[in-house]
Structure formats: C-alpha cells, structure tokens
Amino acid sequence: MNRTGPVRRPFRGRVIRALTPAALVALLAAGAAACGDSDTSSAGTASSTRTISAEPTASPSPTRGERTQDEFAASVSADAERNRQKAVATLKSVDGKGNAVDDVSVSGIAVQSGERFRSALVRVTNRSGEEAFFAVRVEFVDASGKVLDSVVLGFPDAPTDKTVSEHANSRKAAGVKSFPRIAQAERS
C-alpha cells in the first residue's frame, strides 16, 4: 500500500503549529527592544515643557470622595431639622391660623396594617410673587376630633407660582384611624 498524501499533511500542520509560538516570541522580543531604544534628538520630541498658568503657591487640598449614602441621609436630616426648628419659631409668634392657610393643602395616606407611623402629604403653593419660607403645623386627629399628634414642617425658598410638597409623619397616630388637617400656616 502506497502512503504518499495523507502522511505529509499532518506532519506539515505540526511543524507550523510548533513554529508559531517561537515566531511570536521573536516578534515580541524585537518589538520590546525597539521600544527600549529612545532617541530624543529626533523631530517631534519635546525637549522642555512650558506652563501657561501660574504655579500654585500651596499644595492642593485633597479632593473629598463622594459622600456615602449615610452621610447624604444625615445631611438631608440636618437640613430638615433646621427647617423644622425655624418653622416652630415662626409659628410661636402667629395668632390664629396664620396668613398662608389658603396656600396649603393636606391629604392623608391610606392606613396600612402594622404601620410604624401615620403619614400625610402636605402641599404648599406660593402665590406671593417672590420666594418665601412657609411654616406649617399639621394635626392628626381621630374620628372624635381629639388631636393625637401635631407635626411642624418648614418649606424653605418655596418658588413663586409652584407647588412644593413634603410628608408629615406621626408615630403617635400610627395604627389609628386618623385624619390630617392644617392647624397653622405662615408665609414669611
């Protein structure tokens, strides 16, 4: 039996496969040697740098990384507490319901079983013609009209002819069928 064709093809494939890694290593070594040799006198190579702006006199302060979610929540809570305290101080000097009761509305959010707090959505529409601070006292009352809790909110820099909203939350009225109502509202 004569074996001429089929024996040579597998042998030739093995030789090419064996030489391919060696050729790649040689090519990489030649490229690395070319990169290592630098000629700084050739055209296009910068021999010096020029600063257009003035050099800083002090070292730059380290940049603060992004705030964590807890830091952001603490910041929001601190702002809300400052606004609430300002609103409490504003409402102390108000006789009656205040000058902005017609600019404020409230709607209760449905009672859920096992809720930890009762919530109401308070909306303020600033019709004064300029940005203003709104102080609002929301009372949560039961079916007999008894006040279960009173919550004060502050709305800083309410834009003109826009409506802003915030939730009034009460732990004391949680789990009780209650209704929110506006007790006082003052624009300053």
Side-chain angles (χ1 to χ4, degrees):
M1 197 152 111
N2 190 0
R3 296 184 187 181
T4 55
V7 173
R8 290 184 176 229
R9 284 189 187 146
F11 180 70
R12 186 174 51 211
R14 278 185 259 152
V15 170
I16 291 174
R17 280 190 297 253
L19 289 178
T20 303
L24 285 175
V25 169
L27 182 63
L28 288 173
C35 289
D37 184 27
S38 64
D39 180 16
T40 57
S41 63
S42 66
T45 303
S47 59
S48 66
T49 57
R50 194 169 77 173
T51 304
I52 296 175
S53 62
E55 292 290 326
T57 56
S59 63
S61 61
T63 57
R64 181 181 162 108
E66 291 186 26
R67 294 192 302 184
T68 65
Q69 194 171 19
D70 290 338
E71 289 172 332
F72 177 75
S75 172
V76 170
S77 292
D79 284 343
E81 181 58 24
R82 274 192 298 275
N83 292 331
R84 191 193 70 76
Q85 288 176 1
K86 183 178 177 182
V88 167
T90 300
L91 292 175
K92 278 185 183 178
S93 63
V94 173
D95 289 329
K97 291 198 169 245
N99 64 7
V101 173
D102 293 336
D103 296 335
V104 180
S105 66
V106 64
S107 56
I109 296 175
V111 176
Q112 309 242 338
S113 62
E115 67 184 0
R116 295 179 11 209
F117 57 87
R118 182 79 172 106
S119 189
L121 182 63
V122 180
R123 291 184 186 95
V124 173
T125 303
N126 184 1
R127 296 182 183 99
S128 70
E130 58 187 38
E131 285 187 353
F133 179 83
F134 283 81
V136 179
R137 180 181 314 277
V138 178
E139 291 178 339
F140 290 89
V141 296
D142 65 9
S144 68
K146 177 184 171 192
V147 176
L148 302 172
D149 197 8
S150 178
V151 178
V152 176
L153 301 173
F155 294 84
D157 304 324
T160 60
D161 296 324
K162 302 270 184 191
T163 300
V164 292
S165 62
E166 194 172 325
H167 283 93
N169 298 314
S170 169
R171 290 192 187 278
K172 293 177 185 175
V176 178
K177 180 133 177 127
S178 60
F179 307 94
R181 69 179 179 199
I182 303 298
Q184 288 181 307
E186 182 75 11
R187 177 181 49 251
S188 58

